[in-house]
């Protein structure tokens, strides 16, 4: 594992973007999995700037959304697909190259997504944020390494973190996510750790010891794992 502490949000975004731009240049066309959340916003801002300057393209990439809410009452508001349009729409929004695990109208057929991943030859690069309970994608604590795309019931803590200002009746309860099996099999993995309440997750990754109930630590031992972490989180333990 390569652990890159970042002193501030600029350094964080810069380290993450440099890594992604380098990988995209080295192995096009790229099969890429990307996350939502606050953590990657600086990275996406930099990628848009790099693309504008002609130094980066996802033109030939296949972009696999990591997850999506299944029963979001006001879909697409608050969904991954809406987030993606806003953040990377100018770079990738083409239905032929962006894949959504939520088959409209039929969330009970996640196998379709696995077939797509297999047909693409698996992931070259998985970019992952981390929930404060250690989830990656929506692989919540208790997830198994052999799982592929599946529907999950969201943990109470995840709903509190992701929908703090949304009344309960407008929150989803289920999500569909790429499973740990495909994330573990990705040729490279970039984990981004930033934000409140993630000091214990950061410390667990730094210690290098797998903790069953912290799904992100299941990645420890991956042959090409890079972790960019807010330095302040490492000091908080
Ligand atoms: C959601 C996503 C995760 C993401 C997490 C962290 O739950 N499914 O992929 O990593 O949010 O969000 P944030 O970066 O806002 O802390």
């Amino acid at each position: 594992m390569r652990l890159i502490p970042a002193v501030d949000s600029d350094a964080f975004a810069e380290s993450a973007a440099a890594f992604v731009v380098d990988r995209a240049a080295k192995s096009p066309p790229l099969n890429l999995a990307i996350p939502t959340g606050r953590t990657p916003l600086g990275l996406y801002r930099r990628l848009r700037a790099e693309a504008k300057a002609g130094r980066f393209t996802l033109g030939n990439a296949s972009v696999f959304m990591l997850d999506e809410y299944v029963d979001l009452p006001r879909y697409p508001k608050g969904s991954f697909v809406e987030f993606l349009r806003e953040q990377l729409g100018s770079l990738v929004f083409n239905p032929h190259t962006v894949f959504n695990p939520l088959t409209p109208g039929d969330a009970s057929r996640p196998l379709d997504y696995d077939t797509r991943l297999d047909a693409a030859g698996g992931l070259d690069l998985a970019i992952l944020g981390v929930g404060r309970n250690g989830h990656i994608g929506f692989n919540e604590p208790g997830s198994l390494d052999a799982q592929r795309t599946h529907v999950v019931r969201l943990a109470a803590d995840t709903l509190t973190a992701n929908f703090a200002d949304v009344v309960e009746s407008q929150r989803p309860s289920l999500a569909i996510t790429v499973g740990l099996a495909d994330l573990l099999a990705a040729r490279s993995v970039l984990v981004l750790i930033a934000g409140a309440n993630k000091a214990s997750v950061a410390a667990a990754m730094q210690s290098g010891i797998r903790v069953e109930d912290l799904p992100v630590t299941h990645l420890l031992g991956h042959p090409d794992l890079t972790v960019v972490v807010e330095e302040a989180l490492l000091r908080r333990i």
Side-chain angles (χ1 to χ4, degrees):
M1 173 180 63
R2 227 162 47 106
L3 189 74
I4 306 176
V7 286
D8 57 24
S9 58
D10 274 350
F12 189 93
E14 192 180 324
S15 296
F19 181 91
V20 175
V21 168
D22 177 67
R23 291 302 157 106
K26 272 190 189 138
S27 61
L30 199 65
N31 296 331
L32 186 66
I34 57 168
T36 55
R38 288 171 287 272
T39 305
L41 294 179
L43 162 65
Y44 294 157
R45 197 177 320 115
R46 290 205 177 225
L47 292 181
R48 293 195 300 272
E50 289 295 304
K52 210 167 170 188
R55 292 189 290 261
F56 173 70
T57 178
L58 286 175
N60 296 319
S62 294
V63 177
F64 288 88
M65 292 167 43
L66 263 181
D67 49 48
E68 184 59 292
Y69 297 110
V70 168
D71 56 347
L72 195 62
R74 293 166 67 200
Y75 187 87
K77 198 169 171 6
S79 66
F80 194 131
V81 79
E82 184 190 60
F83 174 92
L84 184 62
R85 270 184 211 281
E86 282 172 13
Q87 294 299 319
L88 291 178
S90 56
L91 298 191
V92 297
F93 222 88
N94 170 346
H96 301 296
T97 55
V98 178
F99 300 109
N100 181 343
L102 183 64
T103 311
D106 190 357
S108 63
R109 296 184 59 212
L111 253 188
D112 288 354
Y113 208 52
D114 294 340
T115 308
R116 279 210 177 112
L117 282 161
D118 291 343
L123 295 170
D124 297 308
L125 172 60
I127 305 174
L128 305 170
V130 190
R132 59 194 192 182
N133 65 358
H135 74 236
I136 44 180
F138 274 126
N139 292 281
E140 296 280 25
S143 300
L144 304 174
D145 290 357
Q147 277 176 310
R148 299 202 66 196
T149 307
H150 60 289
V151 173
V152 293
R153 182 158 295 282
L154 294 163
D157 186 66
T158 299
L159 287 170
T160 307
N162 292 8
F163 292 91
D165 47 3
V166 177
V167 292
E168 264 180 46
S169 63
Q170 295 301 321
R171 295 177 178 181
S173 57
L174 302 173
I176 184 167
T177 183
V178 170
L180 289 178
D182 292 271
L183 301 179
L184 289 165
R187 284 172 273 287
S188 297
V189 179
L190 173 64
V191 174
L192 307 174
I193 310 177
N197 302 316
K198 296 192 190 167
S200 53
V201 169
M205 290 305 277
Q206 189 180 31
S207 78
I209 300 166
R210 176 183 168 119
V211 179
E212 276 319 304
D213 262 357
L214 286 178
V216 66
T217 66
H218 295 208
L219 295 165
L220 290 165
H222 184 286
D224 187 6
L225 172 64
T226 301
V227 179
V228 180
V229 57
E230 270 180 357
E231 197 183 51
L233 289 175
L234 299 174
R235 280 188 256 119
R236 231 167 264 166
I237 285 290

